Amino acid sequence: MISKRGDYFFISTKSTTYVIKILDTGHVSHFSYGVRIDPSEKGLEFIHEGFDVNIGCGTYYDESHPMMFMDNLAMEYGTVGKGDAREPALEVRYGGGLFVLDPVFCSYRIFKGKNEDFLPCALSDEENVESLELVLKDKLLDIFIHLFYSAYEEEDVILRSARIENMMDDALVLENVSSMMLDLPDSDWELLSFDGAWARERYITRRALSPGVTVIDSKLGCSSSEHNSLIYLVRKETSAESGEAIAMNLIYSGNHSERIEVSPFSKIRVLTGINPFNFSWTLEKGGSFSTPEAILTYSASGWNDAALNFHSFIKKYIIRGKWKDRLRPVLINNWEATYFNFTEKKLLSLASKAKELGIELFVLDDGWFGRRTSDRAGLGDWVCNRSRLPDGLEGLGRKLHSMDLLFGLWVEPEMVSENSELFEKHPDWRISIPGRTPSVGRHQYILDLSRKEVVDYLYSALCEVFSLGEVDYVKWDMNRTMSDYFSLNKDVSAMGGFFHKYILGLYDLLSRITKRFPDILFESCSAGGNRYDLGMLCFMPQTWTSDNTDIHHRISIQEGTLMGYPQSTMGAHVSASPGHQSLRKSGIESRFNVACWGAFGYELDLTKLCDEDLEAIRNQIGFYKKYRNVLQNGKFRKISSRDDNLVFWSSTLNKTTIVLEYQILNRPNTGFQDKLRLPFLDRSKCYRISNRRQIIRKEDLGDIFSSYGKSVSEEYSAVVSGRLLCDYGIFLGPQFAGNGVFETTRILGDFGSRLYIIEEMD
Ligand code: DGJ
C-alpha cells in the first residue's frame, strides 16, 4: 500500500514500511525503513534518527539552509557535486565534461501494478502490487530521474529501479547508474555476502563494517561465483531466527556492484546496480536508460524470514512459464558417470537402470555434437555427432521417450571452440581485439552476443536441435568468464556499453527461445553456479548450483544459496563416492539427505553400484517423490545450533516438516549435543516424529555390522507436543532412536546425517 501524507510518502507491505520525505528544498530524502507503521501515527517525525549536521568544514546547501549538510543527509538517489562526497547512485558527463547534478522533486504518480521498463523484470499483479514513481529534475538542466518503488504486500518485498531521461539538446553520458540506493541512519550493521569461486559458490561471509567503502562485485561479464549480487545487512546479534535483517538482490546476470559505505558520520549508504566498471552509455536528446530492478526486504525476526520473503517473491514473480508451479522431475545426468566417454549403448543402459529405480528424466550432457570428443573442440557446431549417436538426437529422444523417460540435453550456446566449423566460417564472431591474441578459458572463446547476427544464428541452430530431439529439458551451460572486451557492433558506444549489450543480447536470445519452446524445463548452469542470479531465473526456473557435490561442501554451498533463492531453483545431485571434486568418501544415504533439498537428481554411473546402494536409491526416490512438494516448495529454515558440529535444516509445507540433522565429525561418547528446536510449529498441536529408514552397506560398518547395522537402519517414531518442540527442543539421540548405546556414540559417523519427518496430528 502506498500513500502520501504532507511531504511524506509511505510504501507499506504486510509487515514493513519505507518512508521518503521531500525536503523544503525539493530534495528527495530517505526517512526510514523497518517494521510497519501507520502514516497517521503521532510523533512520526521523531522516528527519523538522522542527525544531519556536519559542523566544521562541511559544505551546506545554500545560505538559506545553513544546517543542510549534503554529506550527511539521507538521500534516495545521490548525485555528485553539491557537497555529498559519498558514493553516488548516478554519475554523468555533459557539456564537454561537467558532472554536477542537483535533482529535486518534480512530480509523482501512485498506480496499481508496476512498470516494465527493463526486461527481464519481476512480474506484476494488480491485486498485490502497488507502485510509486517519483520524478526528479535537475535544477538547471533538462535531465530527469524517475525512481520506481513497487510494494509487494504479501511478500514484504519492495522492488526498486530508476530511469534516466535526457531532454537536453546535448548528449548525456551515463557512467554509473544504480538500481537502488539505501541510506541508513547508523552503521551498527554487519554485512553478509555470498562469495567463493568454482566449486565453492556462495559461502557466507559475515563481516563487521568499518569506515570507507566495501565493494562486492563482478567484473567477469557474468554475475559470477566470486560474489553474488545478494547481500544482507544484519545487526551484531542477528541470527537465523532473531534480530533485524535487510536483504537485497538484483535482477541482472552481468557485471554488478554492491557498494556499502560507512560515512564519516557513521551512517551507511548501500548501492546496488550494474557495475560502473567499464560502463558508459550515451543518451542523445530524448533518449532514456532504464536500470535492472533490485529487490529489498526487511525482517525483524532474523534472516530466515528475510530469505523466506525472497523465496515466495521469486516463486511467484520471477519464475514463469509452464514449470513455475510444477514439481521438478528426478533426473540422472551422465556427466560424472561418463564424461566425454560414452556411446549410445552406454547411455541407454544408464537410462534403463535409472528408469528401473524410479528416475523420470535422462540428461545427456556435454559431448554429443560436432567434433566434441574433448573440451578442446566442437563448441558452436550444434549438430549431432552420428558416430556416437547413430540414430541422431531424434533416435535417442525416441528411445528415451519409449522408455517413458523425459529427454534432457546440454548446450553451451554462448561459446565457440577454435577447432569448430563455426569458427572456421566466422572467426570474427568471437570476442577478441584485432591485433591482440585473445585470452582463453577452458580452450574456448565467447561469441559476441551484442551482435544480432550471432544471436540470430544461435536461435535458429538451437530451434533445430530442440525440435529434432523433442527435448523436454535443457541444461544451458556457460563455462568461462570474459576477457578482451571488444565488439564490431557499431552500437556499443566506445566499448563502455559492451558488457551490458552482451547481456541484452543474451536476454534477447533467451526470451525468443523460451517463447518458442514454452514446454521445455530450462536449467541454467555456468561451470556450476557462476551465474546463479534472478535475471537467469526469469527465463530458466532452475540453476545448477555447483559442480561440487561433495556432501560437506554442499552444506555451505546450499545454505548460502538458500539465503537468496528457493529450493525449487537449486539443482542438487547425488554423485559418486569418493567425490570427484573432494575425493571424500561418504555414504550414499547421507549424500541423499543433503542433496534432496532442491531440484534433485543423480550424477553417477548407476550400472556400477552394488545392490545395497541400488536398494538405497530406490527408497530415496520413493521418499523424495512422496515429500517432493515439501522439499522443493516448503518454507526452508536454517535452525541455529549451539553445537558447531551439528547442522539442522527444516522445510515445512502445510502439516509436514522435514528436518535434516547433519553431523560434521563423529565424536564418540560426547557430552553436549544440541537439541532440535522448531519454534515455528503450533504449540497447541501434537506431532509425530519419525526418521527416514536408511540402508547401510555392510562394508561401511565392517565387522560390527551385525550390532550397529540394525540401529542405524531402523525406523523409530514418537509423539511430542508442539510446546516441547517449540520451547524446549528434543534430543535426537538415544531416547529417540531405540538402540541407545550405539546412538549415544553417534554412529552416524563422519558426515553422517538423518532425515526426520514431523507430521502435525489432528
Ligand atoms: C560444467 C557444468 O557445470 C558440468 O555440470 C558439466 O555440464 C560440464 N560443464 C560439461 O562440460
Side-chain angles (χ1 to χ4, degrees), residues 700-746:
D700 286 347
L701 290 177
D703 292 345
I704 44 156
F705 181 82
S706 52
S707 18
Y708 271 17
K710 190 162 171 284
S711 104
V712 288
S713 62
E714 248 175 28
E715 264 175 278
Y716 303 98
S717 90
V719 175
V720 181
S721 81
R723 214 173 73 77
L724 291 184
L725 276 167
C726 287
D727 300 331
Y728 284 81
I730 59 164
F731 279 115
L732 293 171
Q735 302 89 324
F736 187 72
N739 192 349
V741 64
F742 300 120
E743 280 295 323
T744 316
T745 58
R746 307 299 299 165

Side-chain angles (χ1 to χ4, degrees), residues 51-260:
F51 178 72
D52 303 334
V53 175
N54 162 16
I55 44 175
C57 61
T59 306
Y60 50 90
Y61 186 61
D62 59 22
E63 288 297 6
S64 332
H65 298 89
M67 297 304 275
M68 185 172 159
F69 291 88
M70 303 303 278
D71 212 13
N72 201 13
L73 257 186
M75 302 292 282
E76 279 301 308
Y77 209 68
T79 52
V80 177
K82 295 300 292 175
D84 183 353
R86 289 166 292 182
E87 288 287 299
L90 177 65
E91 284 171 273
V92 299
R93 300 261 163 200
Y94 58 86
L98 286 163
F99 48 81
V100 176
L101 282 186
D102 189 14
V104 288
F105 178 74
C106 181
S107 64
Y108 78 96
R109 176 166 75 104
I110 295 172
F111 57 102
K112 286 264 169 231
K114 67 182 278 282
N115 63 314
E116 296 201 340
D117 282 16
F118 183 82
L119 294 173
C121 66
L123 296 169
S124 184
D125 166 355
E126 301 265 308
E127 291 285 288
N128 188 41
V129 187
E130 198 173 24
S131 298
L132 167 69
E133 176 181 3
L134 293 177
V135 185
L136 286 65
K137 185 192 164 304
D138 180 69
K139 272 196 161 168
L140 179 68
L141 305 165
D142 285 338
I143 298 173
F144 293 84
I145 303 172
H146 302 249
L147 300 180
F148 294 96
Y149 305 78
S150 300
Y152 286 74
E153 170 79 15
E154 276 308 306
E155 293 70 28
D156 279 327
V157 165
I158 295 173
L159 192 80
R160 307 243 335 236
S161 63
R163 188 202 307 148
I164 315 301
E165 230 173 18
N166 177 22
M167 301 307 279
M168 305 185 294
D169 288 335
D170 296 338
L172 176 73
V173 181
L174 309 179
E175 298 194 325
N176 168 21
V177 201
S178 297
S179 295
M180 161 168 73
M181 186 174 109
L182 181 65
D183 273 356
L184 297 171
D186 71 86
S187 61
D188 191 23
W189 295 91
E190 294 186 339
L191 174 67
L192 302 186
S193 58
F194 302 85
D195 312 298
W198 175 78
R200 192 164 38 82
E201 294 91 339
R202 292 169 297 285
Y203 271 52
I204 303 172
T205 313
R206 183 170 186 158
R207 78 192 93 185
L209 290 166
S210 49
V213 185
T214 305
V215 180
I216 307 292
D217 77 350
S218 167
K219 303 184 187 78
L220 296 167
C222 59
S223 49
S224 105
S225 50
E226 297 188 0
H227 308 288
N228 199 267
S229 51
L230 171 72
I231 56 167
Y232 276 66
L233 292 176
V234 294
R235 297 293 187 186
K236 286 189 184 67
E237 64 280 7
T238 299
S239 69
E241 289 121 343
S242 66
E244 282 189 299
I246 296 175
M248 52 199 98
N249 203 350
L250 199 61
I251 309 179
Y252 191 59
S253 310
N255 288 347
H256 59 88
S257 155
E258 293 70 47
R259 284 165 288 158
I260 303 98

Side-chain angles (χ1 to χ4, degrees), residues 201 222 476-480 524-531 544:
E201 294 91 339
C222 59
W476 183 295
D477 207 344
M478 196 278 213
N479 279 300
R480 64 159 289 188
S524 143
C525 169
S526 181
N530 199 31
R531 203 163 57 183
W544 181 225

Side-chain angles (χ1 to χ4, degrees), residues 335 365-366 410 442 475 477 479 525 527-528 544 547:
W335 179 241
D365 211 279
D366 197 353
W410 177 96
R442 206 194 186 196
K475 177 175 173 188
D477 207 344
N479 279 300
C525 169
W544 181 225
D547 280 349

Side-chain angles (χ1 to χ4, degrees), residues 249-350:
N249 203 350
L250 199 61
I251 309 179
Y252 191 59
S253 310
N255 288 347
H256 59 88
S257 155
E258 293 70 47
R259 284 165 288 158
I260 303 98
E261 177 166 6
V262 176
S263 81
F265 312 104
S266 297
K267 291 183 176 170
I268 285 197
R269 169 166 292 181
V270 190
L271 294 148
T272 180
I274 294 176
N275 199 333
F277 163 77
N278 228 12
F279 175 85
S280 72
W281 202 271
T282 304
L283 295 180
E284 300 300 340
K285 180 178 178 153
S288 69
F289 180 89
S290 295
T291 69
E293 293 173 338
I295 57 172
L296 176 69
T297 194
Y298 169 88
S299 153
S301 49
W303 65 70
N304 276 342
D305 284 343
L308 283 172
N309 292 345
F310 277 175
H311 287 194
S312 46
F313 175 82
I314 291 166
K315 283 198 283 191
K316 215 157 160 203
Y317 298 108
I318 293 291
I319 308 296
R320 49 201 95 194
K322 175 179 162 181
W323 286 92
K324 182 183 169 97
D325 296 317
R326 292 200 180 208
L327 294 175
R328 309 296 158 73
V330 179
L331 65 79
I332 173 80
N333 179 307
N334 78 307
W335 179 241
E336 289 201 4
T338 66
Y339 293 103
F340 287 109
N341 187 18
F342 62 83
T343 58
E344 192 194 60
K345 194 164 163 234
K346 175 71 202 173
L347 297 178
L348 289 174
S349 72
L350 192 56

